[in-house]
Amino acid sequence: LYGRKCKKMLDAMDEYFPKTCTYTRPEGGLFLFCTMQEGNSAEVLKRAIENKVAFVPGSTFMVDIEKPTSTFRLNYSMVAEDKIEPAIKALAAAL
C-alpha cells in the first residue's frame, strides 16, 4: 500500500513540481524530503494551506526552528490515494 502511494506521489511530483525542486526517491519509509532551490518553506506552507494542503517545513527538524530553510517533508501514508494527485497539484501551485 505505501509503495503504491509513494509511487503515485512521486509521479505527480514529477509532473507538477517545478524542476527547481528536488526530492528523495525512497525505497521504504513514509516520507519524501524535498528541497526548493530557493525560498523559505515556512512561507510556502502559508500559501499551501490556502490551497488546503500542508507539509512539515524543514525548520521543524533544525536546532534553530526560526531559521529559514528551503526544505520540507511530505507524508504519503495518511492521505487517500485518490487525493494524492490533486494535493500535489495544489502544492505545486504554492511552490
Side-chain angles (χ1 to χ4, degrees):
L1 174 66
Y2 293 146
R4 194 171 61 238
K5 285 183 171 186
C6 179
K7 181 180 179 340
K8 189 168 190 80
M9 187 170 281
L10 286 169
D11 288 347
M13 291 165 71
D14 289 343
E15 183 172 346
Y16 299 110
F17 269 23
K19 299 304 176 209
T20 56
C21 186
T22 59
Y23 36 89
T24 58
R25 294 189 170 276
E27 294 181 20
L30 303 172
F31 306 104
L32 299 172
F33 292 90
C34 307
T35 304
M36 301 178 300
Q37 186 172 349
E38 58 184 45
N40 180 352
S41 60
E43 293 300 317
V44 174
L45 178 59
K46 293 174 187 174
R47 292 193 305 268
I49 289 171
E50 291 172 4
N51 291 339
K52 302 198 184 325
V53 293
F55 57 81
V56 180
S59 58
T60 304
F61 306 102
M62 306 294 181
V63 174
D64 182 358
I65 62 171
E66 299 301 320
K67 185 177 179 181
T69 180
S70 62
T71 60
F72 59 96
R73 184 182 79 176
L74 299 175
N75 177 315
Y76 50 81
S77 67
M78 298 300 293
V79 64
E81 275 187 78
D82 64 333
K83 304 283 187 201
I84 290 174
E85 185 175 358
I88 292 298
K89 192 173 181 179
L91 178 54
L95 290 170

